[in-house]
Amino acid sequence: MRYGAIAFDPICGDGTAQAVREAVLAAAVVQALAEGEDAQALATHYHSMLLAAMRRHLKLCAQFYATGGKGAWWQAQLAALAEGFEWCTAALSRLPEPRYELRGLRLVPRETVT
């Protein structure tokens, strides 16, 4: 699995909150690794959650860009956002359902979550 970076457009103001969510998730993944959870399953979970966050962010940004006007630049941005959203949707459809859930600051296997 190849990994890359994600960056959030500041137009919707979600970047700071996402950075905190990512940090909490990353710390929970490290803790779960230290407790002996499966490294590949955790990496897939982390990747899936970041991909889902990017998908949500693209949808939020589209709402802002839609109010920008009917000019070519705005329409090109909306088209790029739609393309990114569809790409994320397709990528998520190829991944397994999340196997973990955050409980407080800990990542817990879903089958044990009550």
Side-chain angles (χ1 to χ4, degrees):
M1 184 178 299
R2 293 186 330 174
Y3 296 99
I6 62 173
F8 277 36
D9 187 324
I11 196 167
C12 79
D14 194 33
T16 301
Q18 179 59 28
V20 172
R21 288 188 296 268
E22 285 180 35
V24 167
L25 181 58
V29 166
V30 170
Q31 180 65 36
L33 278 169
E35 293 172 354
E37 289 291 331
D38 179 74
Q40 183 60 44
L42 288 166
T44 298
H45 179 78
Y46 185 75
H47 174 74
S48 297
M49 294 300 100
L50 293 187
L51 189 56
M54 177 53 77
R55 182 177 177 265
R56 183 184 66 248
H57 177 71
L58 293 171
K59 187 170 187 161
L60 287 171
C61 284
Q63 294 170 6
F64 288 100
Y65 279 81
T67 66
K70 301 293 181 197
W73 186 87
W74 289 104
Q75 295 307 304
Q77 299 310 304
L78 279 170
L81 289 166
E83 181 181 345
F85 182 86
E86 293 304 319
W87 184 90
C88 289
T89 300
L92 281 167
S93 75
R94 293 186 297 272
L95 293 169
E97 288 292 319
R99 290 180 47 189
Y100 299 93
E101 183 173 306
L102 273 173
R103 182 181 288 165
L105 298 176
R106 297 181 59 82
L107 213 52
V108 180
R110 280 190 176 264
E111 53 271 6
T112 63
V113 174
T114 57

